[in-house]
Amino acid sequence: MKRTSRDIRTANRYEVLRQIIATSPTSRQELAAATGLSLATVATLVGELLDLGMITEVGFEDSAGGRPRGLVAVNASGGALIGVDIAETYVHVELFDLALNVLARADEDMRPGESRPEQVVSHVAAAVGSVVAQAGIEGARVLGVGVSVPGQVDRDTGISEYAPNWDWHDVPLLDLLAEHIAYPLYLDNPLRACAVAELWFGAARGRGDAVVVNLGTGVGAGLVLGGGLHRGVSNSAGEWGHTTLVLDGRLCHCGNHGCVETYVGAPGIMQHLRELSPGSTLLHPEDQTATIDALAHAVTANDPVAVKVVRDTARYLAAGIADLVNLFNPEVVVLSSWVAATLGEPLLAEVREAVARHALRRPLAATEIVLSPIPTDPVSLGAATFALEGALQSVGQRTARRTAPARSRTAPPS
Amino acid sequence: MKRTSRDIRTANRYEVLRQIIATSPTSRQELAAATGLSLATVATLVGELLDLGMITEVGFEDSAGGRPRGLVAVNASGGALIGVDIAETYVHVELFDLALNVLARADEDMRPGESRPEQVVSHVAAAVGSVVAQAGIEGARVLGVGVSVPGQVDRDTGISEYAPNWDWHDVPLLDLLAEHIAYPLYLDNPLRACAVAELWFGAARGRGDAVVVNLGTGVGAGLVLGGGLHRGVSNSAGEWGHTTLVLDGRLCHCGNHGCVETYVGAPGIMQHLRELSPGSTLLHPEDQTATIDALAHAVTANDPVAVKVVRDTARYLAAGIADLVNLFNPEVVVLSSWVAATLGEPLLAEVREAVARHALRRPLAATEIVLSPIPTDPVSLGAATFALEGALQSVGQRTARRTAPARSRTAPPS
Ligand SMILES: [Zn+2]
Ligand SMILES: [Zn+2]
């Protein structure tokens, strides 16, 4: 999308709060130096954040000979944020304070066959209720709930346009959630949740151009370009999982053949293991997590089949990542989500070596490839960050913070 | 790269001049409405452009009942811009006024084997001298010369890092040119030249996200994201020609196998024709242009071999374009450069149909695929635009317009 001056003001507000969270306590002068914004702009934005109660004044530091500088810090207890990670077999929810510390967690398992939107929604509502109760906070302090659902999402209307796990088409997910959840709601998908988590708290912080490669059941790329999330004109950018790696190759659920996802998504890795060693004890036919865990352990033990599966997966992955390096010329490529976390360093080492064989010299020299440094679930952290961004975006659009949140139908409990 | 407030000011300056060139004469009020900038910002930027002599005041329009509004228009004779398109067999140079009308053209053919940097530079110098002489303008009025050279370019140092046509490595092209040419010089490659031409004057104008697919001897994609050119961290984004379409496919000169370029670049199309019909009269083994011209004519006459070559090329192209649609989710994909212009509508029709089979529904629905509407050589137009952007970027950085241009060693003749 074309950036307007309001987009730029919002981006600056994000940047200043991001910096305060990273370096609390800090002064307006340090913030201006770190962000490249003028001191006057920083002072205005800091004033807005103080008014919102998101940050507080915490005293002064001496500046050699000059006037003492006021210090601000994030006000961790100034509000709570909830992040919801809807995956195909579970719902994972975390409640954060404003410093993005986890205060409570809840998990709901979904049984095979539990795929109707109403079933998923009731799991989400139960888990959200649970984290609020566990944390013992007032409902009025919940600034919002970010919800990540796989597939293609219209974030403006809150509709899940296509969720491949359950073959959902045009499900009005946010409206269904709003029947149970009274806080402001924000819908997006795991690609963008992981990207925004890296941008605020991980390997993309302070970077202009970064690609967050998401390796799970589905795969895709979250794009950080020009210091912000690139969404595309209809919020569906980053569908790297459905770019063609092998013309006329494996059939993909999207209808195309030879998509990256069919080779490097967890089901694709399992298919490769099955083809290489049909009776392998590593294979848990109905359980992706158990299979990838078993592969990771077997690689550490130098099991030849496991080593070959990881090496071949890395080879496919590297051809696809080299495409991203050649197209975007990013500073960093981050491997995120559960398959990347589980296969870890052995996968990373093979990927780095193979990308160097595929990518062009100049963009390759400018890029590092790393594992996500985020220690917890990046999807729920990123989803909570969408709620934080939503609260920041609405600054100045409403008279009081709790009035008329975009997506909630009733006033929150207090 | 991360955008600083200075980048944003520069982008706003581009936007206002772009709008003035498109709609002269126009008022500050209309400019504010069209760009989304505040009237105060527009007034400041218009003032700068007036000071530079790039635009002039041209009277007033009545606004119903209110104060008459001052009108401004581009000052076509306020300066000249030169665009240089270095291709593998020729150098094409155009001189433009500030409304980007062509005032003079010059071509130099390069014989096979003429591939040393000094030989290419002397052709460029001769052609630049020719257009200045033909146009009969004072050297002092030349604001700059934009130079496009294929391959990977370090625009800050003016070095051609890798030019595949001639196997150039780390050629200090701008320094060599500056020994002959006294005007400010700006180096980049045809991908970005075509993209900036579309952004200022073509199908990407006013669009947030656009991909300009360049089909020539080499292929690549110029990326317009968030209303500006996406260059990547080391100015090498957009190397779509070297993304993998067929894993382990045709060997590419970049060292990778199965690159898009090996299938849809002019030599790849010729290879396909040779394989389908070894003795075809359409094939001019040493002449890409003649072969693609012959193909285009034969398709119009429904020649079955030509129809099949274009259809198969469109199929490869469409798989690669669907990757761009799924990754970037752009508003428009523009087919540019000489192969696209020559094969024209028959290629476009096949491509549109095949992209619809490969791309995801949501990003596909948001994208149109068009041929470049630019009637002249987009590379020299885009290269001249780099010179225009360079002149706009340096506003406020130097006291007078002609002082200390970044890349010229001596004062220009006057
Ligand atoms: Zn697919
Ligand atoms: Zn290649």
Side-chain angles (χ1 to χ4, degrees):
Chain A
M1 303 289 279
K2 230 166 115 174
R3 283 164 66 124
T4 64
S5 5
R6 208 173 101 200
D7 296 334
I8 292 163
R9 276 199 303 277
T10 301
N12 290 342
R13 206 175 285 133
Y14 294 174
E15 182 76 16
V16 165
L17 181 57
R18 200 143 61 208
Q19 194 63 30
I20 293 171
I21 292 174
T23 61
S24 282
T26 184
S27 65
R28 292 163 182 79
Q29 290 78 4
E30 283 173 347
L31 289 168
T35 59
L37 299 170
S38 74
L39 190 56
T41 301
V42 168
T44 303
L45 297 171
V46 164
E48 290 172 358
L49 295 169
L50 286 167
D51 289 347
L52 285 169
M54 289 185 172
I55 63 174
T56 49
E57 307 265 15
V58 292
F60 294 89
E61 71 173 2
D62 288 331
S63 69
R67 284 205 313 173
R69 294 169 166 186
L71 292 173
V72 293
V74 67
N75 179 20
S77 60
L81 302 160
I82 296 174
V84 177
D85 173 8
I86 303 178
E88 62 171 359
T89 58
Y90 62 85
V91 170
H92 179 73
V93 174
E94 297 185 352
L95 185 145
F96 301 85
D97 67 18
L98 280 188
L100 278 296
N101 302 304
V102 180
L103 301 187
R105 290 191 174 88
D107 287 285
E108 296 269 321
D109 284 331
M110 287 189 291
R111 287 180 302 278
E114 272 198 305
S115 65
R116 281 191 299 116
E118 294 72 16
Q119 294 172 314
V120 172
V121 163
S122 79
H123 283 299
V124 172
V128 167
S130 167
V131 292
V132 174
Q134 284 177 57
I137 58 162
E138 291 177 18
R141 287 185 35 228
V142 177
L143 299 182
V145 180
V147 178
S148 163
V149 69
Q152 293 177 50
V153 167
D154 187 329
R155 65 197 278 265
D156 295 329
T157 60
I159 288 172
S160 164
E161 280 217 344
Y162 173 54
N165 301 336
W166 309 301
D167 202 32
W168 284 3
H169 293 271
D170 298 320
V171 170
L173 192 58
L174 227 49
D175 282 346
L176 295 174
L177 287 164
E179 292 174 10
H180 302 268
I181 298 171
Y183 315 117
L185 289 161
Y186 304 89
L187 189 69
D188 217 312
N189 79 4
L191 298 187
R192 280 177 285 278
C194 285
V196 92
E198 296 297 333
L199 178 60
W200 278 76
F201 310 106
R205 188 160 69 193
R207 307 295 186 108
D209 300 322
V211 177
V212 181
V213 167
N214 224 14
L215 299 174
T217 304
V219 309
L223 307 174
V224 174
L225 301 176
L229 199 59
H230 174 73
R231 296 182 169 281
V233 66
S234 61
N235 196 44
S236 40
E239 291 291 351
W240 170 73
H242 302 286
T243 62
T244 300
L245 186 60
V246 181
L247 197 73
D248 301 322
R250 289 182 182 170
L251 178 64
C252 181
H253 62 77
C254 79
N256 190 26
H257 285 263
C259 288
V260 169
E261 182 169 303
T262 63
Y263 296 90
V264 306
I269 298 174
M270 287 171 71
Q271 180 178 338
H272 191 52
L273 173 58
R274 198 180 302 116
E275 287 168 5
L276 268 180
S277 175
S280 173
T281 55
L282 303 173
L283 196 65
H284 299 67
E286 297 300 315
D287 193 336
Q288 296 177 16
T289 315
T291 306
I292 302 295
D293 276 343
L295 264 178
H297 282 107
V299 165
T300 314
N302 255 317
D303 174 273
V305 169
V307 167
K308 175 145 177 63
V309 169
V310 170
R311 184 165 296 160
D312 290 348
T313 301
R315 186 173 161 267
Y316 288 118
L317 193 51
I321 289 176
D323 292 352
L324 296 171
V325 169
N326 287 351
L327 266 176
F328 292 99
N329 185 205
E331 291 172 76
V332 63
V333 175
V334 188
L335 306 187
S336 177
S337 200
W338 66 272
V339 171
T342 306
L343 295 178
E345 291 292 339
L347 180 73
L348 179 66
E350 296 279 355
V351 164
R352 281 181 172 155
E353 199 190 309
V355 168
R357 290 198 303 270
H358 288 283
L360 295 175
R361 194 183 56 143
R362 187 172 165 84
L364 180 70
T367 301
E368 52 173 341
I369 304 176
V370 301
L371 293 172
S372 170
I374 293 173
T376 56
D377 175 34
V379 179
S380 46
L381 177 61
T385 308
F386 285 129
L388 179 58
E389 290 191 347
L392 290 174
Q393 199 159 23
S394 51
V395 174
Q397 289 180 253
R398 38 184 182 175
T399 47
R401 202 196 319 169
R402 303 298 314 165
T403 311
R407 301 288 320 173
S408 77
R409 288 186 169 168
T410 55
S414 60
Chain B
M1 303 289 284
K2 227 166 118 178
R3 283 164 64 125
T4 64
S5 5
R6 206 172 104 201
D7 296 334
I8 292 164
R9 278 199 301 278
T10 301
N12 290 343
R13 206 175 287 137
Y14 293 174
E15 184 76 16
V16 166
L17 182 58
R18 199 141 65 207
Q19 195 61 31
I20 294 172
I21 291 174
T23 60
S24 284
T26 184
S27 66
R28 290 163 184 79
Q29 289 79 3
E30 284 174 347
L31 289 168
T35 59
L37 299 170
S38 73
L39 189 57
T41 301
V42 168
T44 303
L45 297 171
V46 165
E48 290 174 356
L49 294 170
L50 285 167
D51 289 346
L52 285 171
M54 288 185 172
I55 62 173
T56 49
E57 306 265 15
V58 291
F60 295 89
E61 70 174 1
D62 286 334
S63 69
R67 283 204 313 175
R69 294 171 164 184
L71 293 173
V72 293
V74 65
N75 179 20
S77 60
L81 301 161
I82 296 174
V84 176
D85 173 8
I86 304 178
E88 62 171 359
T89 57
Y90 63 86
V91 169
H92 179 73
V93 175
E94 296 185 352
L95 184 146
F96 301 85
D97 67 19
L98 279 189
L100 278 297
N101 301 305
V102 180
L103 301 187
R105 288 192 175 88
D107 286 286
E108 297 268 321
D109 285 330
M110 288 190 291
R111 286 180 302 278
E114 272 197 309
S115 66
R116 282 190 299 116
E118 294 72 17
Q119 294 171 313
V120 173
V121 163
S122 80
H123 282 299
V124 172
V128 167
S130 167
V131 291
V132 174
Q134 284 177 58
I137 59 162
E138 291 177 17
R141 286 186 37 229
V142 177
L143 299 182
V145 180
V147 178
S148 163
V149 69
Q152 293 176 50
V153 166
D154 187 327
R155 65 197 277 267
D156 295 328
T157 60
I159 288 173
S160 164
E161 280 216 346
Y162 174 53
N165 301 337
W166 308 300
D167 203 32
W168 285 2
H169 293 272
D170 297 320
V171 170
L173 192 58
L174 227 50
D175 282 345
L176 295 174
L177 287 165
E179 292 175 8
H180 301 269
I181 298 171
Y183 315 117
L185 289 161
Y186 304 90
L187 188 70
D188 217 312
N189 80 5
L191 298 187
R192 280 177 284 278
C194 285
V196 92
E198 296 297 333
L199 178 60
W200 279 77
F201 310 107
R205 189 161 67 193
R207 306 295 186 107
D209 300 322
V211 177
V212 181
V213 167
N214 224 15
L215 299 174
T217 304
V219 309
L223 307 174
V224 174
L225 301 175
L229 199 59
H230 174 71
R231 297 180 168 282
V233 66
S234 60
N235 196 44
S236 41
E239 290 292 350
W240 171 72
H242 302 287
T243 62
T244 300
L245 186 60
V246 182
L247 197 72
D248 302 321
R250 288 182 182 169
L251 178 63
C252 180
H253 62 77
C254 78
N256 189 26
H257 285 263
C259 288
V260 168
E261 181 169 302
T262 62
Y263 296 90
V264 306
I269 298 173
M270 288 172 69
Q271 180 177 341
H272 192 52
L273 173 58
R274 197 179 304 115
E275 287 167 5
L276 269 179
S277 176
S280 171
T281 55
L282 302 174
L283 194 65
H284 299 66
E286 297 300 315
D287 193 335
Q288 296 177 17
T289 317
T291 306
I292 303 296
D293 277 344
L295 265 177
H297 283 107
V299 164
T300 315
N302 255 317
D303 174 273
V305 169
V307 167
K308 175 144 177 64
V309 168
V310 170
R311 184 163 295 160
D312 291 348
T313 300
R315 187 172 158 267
Y316 287 118
L317 194 50
I321 289 175
D323 291 352
L324 296 171
V325 169
N326 287 351
L327 267 177
F328 292 99
N329 185 205
E331 292 171 78
V332 63
V333 174
V334 188
L335 307 187
S336 177
S337 200
W338 67 271
V339 171
T342 305
L343 295 178
E345 291 292 339
L347 180 73
L348 178 66
E350 297 278 357
V351 164
R352 280 180 173 156
E353 200 191 307
V355 168
R357 290 198 303 271
H358 287 283
L360 296 174
R361 195 184 56 142
R362 187 171 165 84
L364 180 69
T367 301
E368 53 173 341
I369 304 175
V370 301
L371 293 172
S372 170
I374 295 174
T376 56
D377 175 34
V379 179
S380 46
L381 177 62
T385 308
F386 284 129
L388 178 58
E389 290 191 349
L392 289 174
Q393 198 160 25
S394 53
V395 174
Q397 289 181 255
R398 39 188 180 170
T399 46
R401 201 194 325 165
R402 302 299 312 166
T403 311
R407 300 293 316 174
S408 77
R409 288 191 170 165
T410 55
S414 60

